[in-house]
């Protein structure tokens, strides 16, 4: 029993650590090709360490000895998000290698569809995988909104911060923890945020601010609708679901 437990614990530590090492390697490649200063390295390493800690804790809590194929796709997406984080933080939104940031972000967003398909087709969907996927998405949106906010104004940050405000509010208001019903429109709104922010970050469209405004308005509508639904059903026993 002790040997089995030790083996499981070693696996839980080993795999997230391997991906953290991959994050460091990717940051090294980015630094060698485009340049990465101390702030960028600090942001990238902090992101990698946080991912390692979050995933390791999640695996222990869910008693998962190894990650599934979909989780590894999500981790690959996470590596790209770490590189985007480092680049945006390093230049404080100025003189950022736009093509690289947009490419990494676009690929990370595209793979969001892939990991869902892999999970369903292999029958390996898990609560941990869904939560990890959601956190990677949310953080990428936060970073992209911070980058676009440098050009368009601080109001854009509301897109990236809204989910975190929702989560913080749910810590105090228990009725906000109740499971939400499935919603296709919620998924569409979530996808729109990333797409429109990437388009805005590219600087290719003169009316990108309009798209970002539409993204923010749709997100406010989505969150507002969900909060209203939760408030109206406050008598229902609370669970562990969060807004996606």
């Amino acid at each position: 029993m002790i040997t089995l437990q030790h083996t499981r614990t070693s696996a839980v530590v080993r795999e997230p650590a391997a991906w953290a090492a991959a994050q460091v390697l990717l940051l090294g490649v980015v630094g060698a090709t485009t340049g990465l200063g101390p702030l960028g390295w600090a942001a990238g390493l902090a992101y990698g360490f946080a991912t390692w800690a979050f995933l390791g804790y999640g695996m222990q809590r869910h008693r998962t000895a190894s990650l599934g194929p979909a989780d590894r796709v999500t981790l690959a997406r996470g590596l790209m998000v770490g590189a985007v984080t480092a680049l945006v933080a390093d230049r404080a939104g100025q003189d950022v290698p736009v093509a690289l940031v947009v490419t990494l972000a676009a690929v990370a967003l595209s793979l969001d569809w892939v990991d869902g398909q892999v999970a369903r087709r292999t029958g390996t969907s898990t609560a941990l995988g869904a939560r990890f996927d959601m956190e990677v998405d949310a953080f990428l949106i936060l970073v992209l909104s911070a980058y676009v906010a440098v050009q368009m104004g601080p109001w854009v940050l509301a897109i990236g911060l809204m989910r975190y405000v929702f989560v913080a509010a749910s810590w105090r208001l228990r009725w906000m923890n109740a499971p939400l019903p499935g919603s296709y429109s919620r998924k569409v709104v979530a996808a729109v945020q990333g797409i429109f922010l990437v388009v805005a970050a590219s600087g290719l469209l003169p009316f990108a601010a309009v798209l970002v405004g539409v993204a923010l308005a749709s997100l406010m509508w989505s969150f507002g609708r969900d909060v209203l639904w939760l408030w109206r059903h406050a008598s229902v026993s609370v669970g562990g679901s969060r807004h996606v």
Side-chain angles (χ1 to χ4, degrees):
M1 179 66 71
I2 294 177
T3 301
L4 179 60
Q5 182 66 32
H6 176 73
T7 301
R8 176 179 294 177
T9 301
S10 297
V12 167
V13 172
R14 186 168 55 250
E15 188 158 10
W19 283 95
Q23 183 72 78
V24 175
L25 179 61
L26 179 58
L27 291 175
V29 172
V30 170
T33 54
T34 66
L36 203 58
L39 185 57
W41 272 103
L45 291 175
Y47 170 88
F49 177 79
T51 300
W52 177 16
F54 173 82
L55 194 55
Y57 170 77
M59 290 175 70
Q60 287 184 329
R61 182 179 180 183
H62 290 267
R63 300 180 181 276
T64 301
S66 63
L67 299 172
D71 299 327
R72 295 187 176 102
V73 175
T74 304
L75 274 165
R77 294 176 54 227
L79 295 181
M80 298 177 198
V81 175
V84 171
T85 301
L87 287 167
V88 172
D90 187 54
R91 315 294 175 88
Q94 301 291 340
D95 299 321
V96 173
V98 177
L100 181 57
V101 167
V102 168
T103 299
L104 288 170
V107 173
L109 289 171
S110 299
L111 288 176
D112 187 25
W113 179 84
V114 174
D115 59 14
Q117 290 295 312
V118 170
R120 283 185 287 272
R121 293 186 180 185
T122 59
T124 54
S125 298
T126 64
L128 174 60
R131 177 65 185 277
F132 184 45
D133 178 69
M134 178 177 64
E135 296 300 338
V136 169
D137 288 339
F139 195 76
L140 176 58
I141 296 301
L142 177 61
V143 174
L144 287 175
S145 65
Y147 173 56
V148 175
V150 174
Q151 282 75 40
M152 296 186 181
W155 62 272
V156 182
L157 280 171
I159 294 176
L161 292 173
M162 200 170 299
R163 176 186 173 272
Y164 294 100
V165 171
F166 180 94
V167 171
S170 71
W171 292 341
R172 184 171 182 83
L173 304 173
R174 295 186 68 245
W175 55 268
M176 291 183 67
N177 286 293
L180 286 164
S183 170
Y184 179 75
S185 63
R186 189 186 301 129
K187 295 179 180 179
V188 171
V189 169
V192 162
Q193 309 307 307
I195 294 171
F196 284 5
L197 284 172
V198 167
V199 170
S202 71
L204 296 177
L205 296 180
F207 54 87
V210 176
L211 294 179
V212 176
V214 170
L216 177 57
S218 65
L219 191 63
M220 292 174 65
W221 167 80
S222 181
F223 272 102
R225 183 192 61 170
D226 285 347
V227 170
L228 182 60
W229 187 94
L230 289 169
W231 181 73
R232 287 176 173 174
H233 296 78
S235 59
V236 178
S237 60
V238 298
S241 180
R242 290 288 194 272
H243 193 289
V244 179

